[in-house]
Amino acid sequence: MKLSYSVVLYRNSVADVLKLYRNLVETVPCDCEYMIYLVNNSKDDTELEQCLKQIADSDENVILITAEDNNGFGAGHNLAIRQANSAVHFLVNPDITIPNSDQISKLVDKMRNQDIVMCAPKVLNTDGTIQKLVKHSPTVLDMGIRFLGRRILTKRQDWFVYSDEYNVTHESINLAGSFMACRTKTLKKIGGFDERYFLYMEDSDLTRSMARYGATIYYPDAYVVHAWQRENRKSLKGIRIMLQSMGKYFAKWGWKLW
């Protein structure tokens, strides 16, 4: 089985990048070929660029791609997706840790089912609790109340994030982009990410596009750890970008209010 991985980086610390690189290499199943695409979306960060170049020069299974401009998370991944020559392509956030190669093997084995085009594992916080990242198809109501906090319409929020289904394999057309296993030929068929999204909701859009060609599933038998950061809740700029992405999403897929 040929695997490929893409990671989009923007002003990440050298220490974190080296840790991520070692983790990816050490958790590739021994019976798989692989290629890792490190996409630098911050070409003016000379320290990061030098680090990535050293990694690529020392490992023939690593390709460095330096974007001419930072056109966003999805556009960065697309630079790698266009080059990928694999059966399964992994979309990986820089703050992901893969516990061991068994987790990748489980996802690869699941993807041997040709009806499945995307598979997302269980995602844990660093303290071992579950990140409830799998969602139903979003409505304006669901997106709005999530900005207002957990105390608003709690039953609706629990339903939206499948609160009681994180130990059960199930289909969802709204999987999280922090870590995804995707059928490469299907990714290429849809053209990768919609680059109109700079950040946020590009993963929701991608899942929905992939679901046109097969099953997009949540698979809790495999797991990864994610040091989650919610920039859209931390800054006015993040909130503005999130609202813009919501507008693009609903304009594309339909304005369902509730």
Side-chain angles (χ1 to χ4, degrees):
M1 178 77 76
K2 288 186 176 181
L3 311 180
S4 55
Y5 302 73
S6 58
V7 186
V8 176
L9 302 156
Y10 185 78
R11 302 190 184 283
N12 301 79
S13 76
V14 167
D16 288 344
V17 170
L18 290 172
K19 179 181 177 182
L20 171 68
Y21 161 66
R22 295 188 188 105
N23 181 240
L24 291 177
V25 172
E26 290 169 359
T27 56
V28 175
C30 60
D31 58 344
C32 293
E33 300 178 27
Y34 71 96
M35 188 65 70
I36 298 171
Y37 297 90
L38 300 176
V39 182
N40 185 7
N41 257 0
S42 50
K43 66 177 183 179
D44 58 336
D45 187 336
T46 55
E47 184 179 11
L48 175 61
E49 179 72 7
Q50 184 178 13
C51 170
L52 296 175
K53 189 174 186 305
Q54 289 174 349
I55 293 172
D57 288 345
S58 65
D59 188 339
E60 62 181 7
N61 291 317
V62 175
I63 293 177
L64 167 60
I65 302 174
T66 302
E68 284 300 314
D69 298 292
N70 179 13
N71 292 314
F73 176 86
H77 276 293
N78 283 348
L79 294 173
I81 291 168
R82 294 183 190 115
Q83 295 188 31
N85 178 25
S86 59
V88 177
H89 184 78
F90 289 89
L91 304 170
V92 185
N93 267 22
D95 49 4
I96 284 287
T97 300
I98 305 165
N100 50 59
S101 62
D102 287 347
Q103 309 312 316
I104 302 299
S105 293
K106 290 176 183 178
L107 291 167
V108 169
D109 286 345
K110 197 68 176 176
M111 293 292 290
R112 293 185 193 279
N113 180 341
Q114 295 299 307
D115 293 332
I116 298 173
V117 295
M118 179 183 284
C119 187
K122 182 186 293 184
V123 179
L124 301 181
N125 290 302
T126 54
D127 64 1
T129 55
I130 296 173
Q131 292 185 7
K132 296 181 179 180
L133 303 178
V134 185
K135 305 177 185 71
H136 283 89
S137 182
T139 67
V140 174
L141 172 65
D142 292 315
M143 298 305 297
I145 61 178
R146 283 171 67 80
F147 274 101
L148 299 177
R150 283 291 301 159
R151 295 183 180 182
I152 306 298
L153 297 177
T154 55
K155 289 185 178 179
R156 175 73 184 208
Q157 291 204 48
D158 286 343
W159 169 84
F160 181 57
V161 297
Y162 289 95
S163 277
D164 297 326
E165 299 182 48
Y166 279 85
N167 291 316
V168 181
T169 299
H170 61 85
E171 288 195 48
S172 170
I173 60 169
N174 191 359
L175 298 173
S178 52
F179 193 90
M180 290 174 163
C182 305
R183 194 164 307 284
T184 308
K185 67 179 181 181
T186 310
L187 265 182
K188 289 177 174 288
K189 187 171 186 176
I190 67 170
F193 285 93
D194 185 334
E195 296 186 12
R196 287 176 293 181
Y197 300 88
F198 182 80
L199 191 64
Y200 307 130
M201 296 199 74
E202 67 287 313
D203 48 359
S204 302
D205 181 276
L206 183 74
T207 310
R208 197 157 182 173
S209 296
M210 293 283 283
R212 289 174 165 175
Y213 298 96
T216 53
I217 67 166
Y218 166 71
Y219 183 56
D221 288 359
Y223 76 98
V224 296
V225 178
H226 182 208
W228 198 11
Q229 296 183 10
R230 299 298 299 272
E231 274 312 314
N232 57 316
R233 301 283 182 88
K234 293 181 180 179
S235 69
L236 291 176
K237 180 181 178 181
I239 292 172
R240 175 176 57 80
I241 295 173
M242 182 63 175
L243 292 174
Q244 290 173 343
S245 293
M246 287 169 56
K248 292 172 184 176
Y249 180 90
F250 290 121
K252 179 176 180 178
W253 297 104
W255 288 85
K256 188 176 180 181
L257 297 182
W258 56 80

